[in-house]
Amino acid sequence: MQTKPYLTLADVKKIAAAAEAEAVANNWAVVIAIVDDGGHLLWLQRLDGANPLSSHIAPAKARVSALGRRESKLYEDMINNGRVSFLSAPAPMADGMLEGGVPVIVDGHTIGAVGVSGVKSAEDAQIAKAGIAALN
């Protein structure tokens, strides 16, 4: 039987703290969501001043990234390049096909993902990557 790493609560708290620090350092009001490899929500944090809608978008970005095993930006790029059929995906998935969802990969296994929403998409991804970098 094979084994694989998984996100512990300590890991999730470390990711969340680093992501929050990146957002606060840039004065960005965002929502940070962390999911496991099945897209199940482990953490949701809404910073002061973050748009309430971002509380729905951040987990969707994380879910798309975890289940797709890639950054959510790739789906946004496919849609922008004409693959509009992705827009017919079920609502929870279609809502997250924007940049800002980044998978957490350990030893070649996607063990979860971080989704951020609230600022420009590239900045959302920057925050997510800063959080993930705290695991190393």
Side-chain angles (χ1 to χ4, degrees):
M1 179 171 292
Q2 295 183 354
T3 60
K4 67 176 186 174
Y6 64 92
L7 285 172
T8 65
L9 180 57
D11 295 332
V12 170
K13 288 180 177 181
K14 192 181 293 186
I15 292 168
E20 178 184 3
E22 180 71 14
V24 169
N26 289 287
N27 200 29
W28 293 334
V30 298
V31 174
I32 300 161
I34 304 170
V35 300
D36 66 12
D37 61 340
H40 303 99
L41 189 62
L42 300 173
W43 188 273
L44 182 69
Q45 180 175 357
R46 183 173 152 199
L47 300 183
D48 292 342
N51 184 325
L53 182 59
S54 293
S55 296
H56 295 277
I57 297 171
K61 289 179 178 183
R63 192 173 306 110
V64 164
S65 184
L67 295 176
R69 311 277 193 254
R70 63 197 70 199
E71 289 193 36
S72 58
K73 180 184 186 329
L74 295 175
Y75 295 105
E76 179 180 7
D77 290 345
M78 281 192 272
I79 292 166
N80 289 340
N81 289 322
R83 298 250 349 243
V84 295
S85 61
F86 275 99
L87 294 173
S88 65
M93 298 303 285
D95 294 344
M97 291 187 189
L98 301 166
E99 184 176 5
V102 180
V104 179
I105 301 172
V106 175
D107 297 332
H109 297 277
T110 299
I111 63 169
V114 179
V116 179
S117 179
V119 287
K120 294 177 183 174
S121 292
E123 295 165 346
D124 289 342
Q126 176 183 329
I127 295 165
K129 289 175 183 177
I132 294 166
L135 286 181
N136 299 329

